[in-house]
Amino acid sequence: MTARPERDDSTARALAGTVRRLQDAAARLRAEARTRSVVDLATGILSERLGVLPAEAAAHLVRLARESGVTVEALAADIVGLPTAAAGAAGEPAAEGQLAAEGQPAAEGEDVSAGGTDGRQVSEVAEGSSGGAPGEPAAGPAARLATLAPPVAPAPALAAEPDLQRAAGAVLEQLATSLGARALAVWQRLPGGGLCLAAHSGLAEAEAEAWSRVPPGVATPAQQVVGGAAELWPGDPAAAGPSIGPGSARAVLPLVEAGRRRGALEVLWPVPGPSLTPSQRRQLWALAELCTTLLGPVGQPLTPEDTDVLLEGLLSPALLLEPQLRDDQLVDFAIRRVNAQFRDPLGRPRDALEGVSFLEAYPAAGASGLFERLLRVHRTGVPLTGELLQLVLRDGPSVPATVRLAVAPLGGRLLVGWEAANGPSGENEQAALLSQAQRLARVAGFEEDADHRRIRWSDGLRQLFGLPAGAPPVPLTDLARHVHPDDEAAVRRLVDTVRHRRRASSAVFRLASPGGGYHFTRVIAEPVLDAEGRLVAVRGAYHDVSAQHRTEVALGATRARLADSEQESAERAQLALRLQQAILPAEPPRDVTGLRAAVRYRPAAKRDRVGGDWYDVLPLPDKRVLLAVGDVAGHGVGAATGMVALRHALRGLAVTGAGPARLLEWANTVALREPGQVTATAVCVLLDPAGGELRWARAGHLPPIRLGSDGAHVLPLPHGVLLGALEEARYEEYRAQLSPGDVLLLYTDGLVERRDRPVEDSVDQLIRTAGAPGPDLEHYLDRLLDLSPSDTEDDTCLIAVRVE
């Protein structure tokens, strides 16, 4: 084993010393932070008790400390309830400017009577710190101060207890008084992303035991906050997740130290919970900060020597990063250690990287997302294992490399490792994937030297040619001998274009199969030239396109058949439409005395849905008028011819003087005898314009509508099945009377039929929307067609007659 260079040992010792010095400095900073917190809390208590501004309370605190002969820190600890040693040594006089550095100058000689408290009360507090009545123990300033005002917002007693569990109980007692809290829990993050219940108060022991450990992935409110989410307050939807105290309102604040979320403080209230003021929220934040200082380490901390041994014992490349803070914010990482397996992408040695800022060493890490992942692991403590990442570590034009990244927290630092995803194992995986893709797509590649001395074929190409495993490859110049005679010219053009014209080319031909027959193959080839433009090699690929060719042939035949069918369908639809338009009259007769009529026919929206709707207005010899509408089932020429037969049958039979019921019985017989057995609905009306008498019968059709001065009325429904359904069918006949000015409306279902509601509802809606007919029946029928609620795209026939 090769000994490590001496400079590496020196670097290791220097780094170890640096780490220890940084740890000592961090401890001093934490102690100073706790001292500042105690002084701030004491200032807040004075401000509340004396009813003065914070600046005046700070000046009072300095004056009291000077008069009592103790330091400001010791007096503040006494006021808050901390042991004196926790904040500073007692007996050292307080400097007047001691709080000025904190932004709170001492105002000597300032009147202390503000807020209803006179100078005598404050002086009594100062005097009480040095003595009391004979035989009584001297009362400290904090004890005398407690008599000035009733208890208010809780002083964070958590800082006064070395035991986090006992401190939690003391804090809950005060929070219950000031904010009405019923329970609290202090969560500590575990390595790997889980949480443990470090301290609690107000919870049943069984509940605390059940929630002693929260595994990673359980989305409790505390887990969300520790994982990077914002703090939660009562009423936030995210605070309703599974946690201790189900059904409670809660506030959850992160416990942050050096940019790392070490845990969370969770405070519970009975629902709906309080509406916390800004000052109350700041109070809880101060409590969370103190909880952070009392959290102990999770497990035995690693020494620098331990991390060195661990790092060098890894077989994969790895770095050890240490957070760099500025104003308690994480701004970068320092590369503290690089193991022997690590290879810098820029070729720098290990000693050139160790001690350097990570972003300084790899400025492009931010753009590739690597630095963001480092921040997330440091903040949440959740390791990142095996994530694929497009990594760019150098500036300027560079092809990103796909790496497999792993990041894990290690004693406040980060252990980072990555390896190329296209390493030895990755190359095998890529080759396997490429082979599978070539097999499935029936593609194979080739490359041959210009003089044919060396020809390389990929797997599958011999199978495409039908050659045995040991057979020599076929040069591109000999390919014409293996194709259909009609395709030899295309292959020769391909070879000439690539080898002589030095251009890429492709061709599709029929490649002979060993067992007879051919399969269609596509070849794409390109020349490989040297610096002087001479041909060095030819490379390309074969692609078996037989299946595609067969599909294209079948598709072409199908398209031809579809084109014929579409042409035939279009011709039949056009024939049906012309037949319907030729049979139906363009306008009603105008020479009927005492009667005004209007008709409309609207073809189907789609030509292929031309149906058998029809109407008829026929004056009879006895001065009556035949009104009829009908709808033959089906579409196209068959429906149109059935419509013609029924319409002419009714016209011819109506001259006999028979009633509408008898006419429908005869029409039923005609429908049963028609080729294809036509079925249809119809309504038949005989109207006497002179007397207004109305007789009607129906065969499964919608009833007529009478529109008079008293509104719209649907006429009663006589019994009658549709035409062509039953032999010997019988039809009822009803009578009514039309008054002068009344309008009778007949229509087919294409006007009102919908898929989502009954026809009767559509009829009511249409009549109400259209309103009264008015004097112009033509305009009224146009309005009905415009307002039609139908969605079936069917034919529509309309007849409107007015008795004058």
Side-chain angles (χ1 to χ4, degrees), residues 611-614 629-634 679-682 701 748-750 753 794-795:
D613 287 25
W614 54 275
V629 293
D631 184 1
V632 178
T679 58
T681 65
H701 201 83
T748 59
D749 58 3
E753 188 175 24
D794 204 355
D795 293 4

Side-chain angles (χ1 to χ4, degrees), residues 292-667:
T292 306
T293 64
L294 292 179
L295 280 180
V298 179
Q300 187 68 23
L302 294 175
T303 65
E305 291 77 9
D306 294 333
T307 57
D308 288 349
V309 173
L310 176 63
L311 202 62
E312 292 300 335
L314 296 177
L315 297 178
S316 58
L319 308 93
L320 185 66
L321 305 181
E322 183 165 345
Q324 290 186 334
L325 305 176
R326 182 181 303 155
D327 297 332
D328 291 333
Q329 297 294 324
L330 181 65
V331 295
D332 200 353
F333 295 92
I335 302 176
R336 289 307 177 196
R337 191 71 176 168
V338 177
N339 69 353
Q341 288 73 27
F342 182 79
R343 296 292 180 269
D344 178 54
L346 302 181
R348 293 169 292 190
R350 294 171 57 182
D351 56 357
L353 294 175
E354 292 177 343
V356 178
S357 162
F358 185 77
L359 287 179
E360 179 183 346
Y362 302 111
S368 60
L370 172 59
F371 190 72
E372 177 185 352
R373 287 165 172 80
L374 298 179
L375 291 177
R376 184 171 69 244
V377 173
H378 173 77
R379 182 178 65 251
T380 64
V382 179
L384 185 68
T385 56
E387 180 175 337
L388 292 178
L389 181 66
Q390 293 289 329
L391 193 59
V392 178
L393 291 178
R394 65 179 72 196
D395 292 331
S398 177
V399 177
T402 302
V403 300
R404 188 171 285 106
L405 179 68
V407 185
L410 184 65
R413 303 174 181 85
L414 291 184
L415 183 63
V416 182
W418 68 69
E419 63 178 5
N422 57 353
S425 60
E427 291 176 357
N428 295 335
E429 294 175 359
Q430 293 290 333
L433 289 175
L434 180 59
S435 177
Q436 292 292 341
Q438 290 176 344
R439 180 183 62 82
L440 293 173
R442 300 185 63 82
V443 176
F446 72 92
E447 183 176 274
E448 60 183 49
D449 297 341
D451 53 7
H452 308 310
R453 291 182 180 178
R454 185 183 180 190
I455 301 176
R456 293 173 295 281
W457 277 9
S458 67
D459 296 339
L461 198 49
R462 285 184 174 83
Q463 182 180 1
L464 186 63
F465 273 84
L467 300 176
V474 177
L476 195 62
T477 52
D478 294 344
L479 179 60
R481 292 186 291 180
H482 295 265
V483 304
H484 191 279
D486 294 344
D487 297 334
E488 292 180 3
V491 173
R492 291 193 179 95
R493 285 195 298 270
L494 167 72
V495 175
D496 179 70
T497 301
V498 175
R499 296 186 64 87
H500 301 292
R501 300 183 184 181
R502 309 290 197 271
R503 295 203 307 267
S505 182
S506 64
V508 178
F509 50 84
R510 286 161 287 182
L511 187 64
S513 299
Y518 297 89
H519 48 269
F520 285 81
T521 304
R522 177 182 178 86
V523 170
I524 303 173
E526 66 175 3
V528 180
L529 308 177
D530 60 12
E532 298 178 358
R534 292 175 298 190
L535 182 67
V536 177
V538 176
R539 60 191 176 195
Y542 287 80
H543 184 197
D544 187 354
V545 295
S546 299
Q548 178 182 349
H549 176 74
R550 289 192 294 270
T551 301
E552 290 177 352
V553 171
L555 183 61
T558 303
R559 285 174 176 170
R561 289 193 296 271
L562 286 176
D564 293 342
S565 299
E566 289 175 358
Q567 180 67 23
E568 180 182 356
S569 176
E571 291 175 355
R572 290 175 63 86
Q574 187 67 24
L575 174 62
L577 181 62
R578 289 179 179 176
L579 179 62
Q580 200 168 35
Q581 292 173 344
I583 296 301
L584 296 179
E587 58 182 23
R590 302 289 185 182
D591 55 353
V592 180
T593 305
L595 189 72
R596 183 178 298 276
V599 298
R600 286 291 185 276
Y601 170 68
R602 181 178 64 184
K606 296 181 179 179
R607 290 299 182 93
D608 59 347
R609 291 186 55 83
V610 174
D613 287 25
W614 54 275
Y615 65 86
D616 202 357
V617 180
L618 177 66
L620 299 177
D622 58 0
K623 305 302 181 180
R624 294 183 301 174
V625 178
L626 171 69
L627 306 173
V629 293
D631 184 1
V632 178
H635 301 86
V637 175
T641 54
M643 173 269 293
V644 172
L646 290 177
R647 179 174 181 276
H648 284 291
L650 281 177
R651 290 177 68 93
L653 295 170
V655 298
T656 64
R662 185 59 177 159
L663 291 177
L664 289 181
E665 291 176 3
W666 289 337

Side-chain angles (χ1 to χ4, degrees), residues 67-68 125-132 138-139:
E67 294 175 354
S68 302
V125 174
E127 292 169 1
S129 64
S130 59

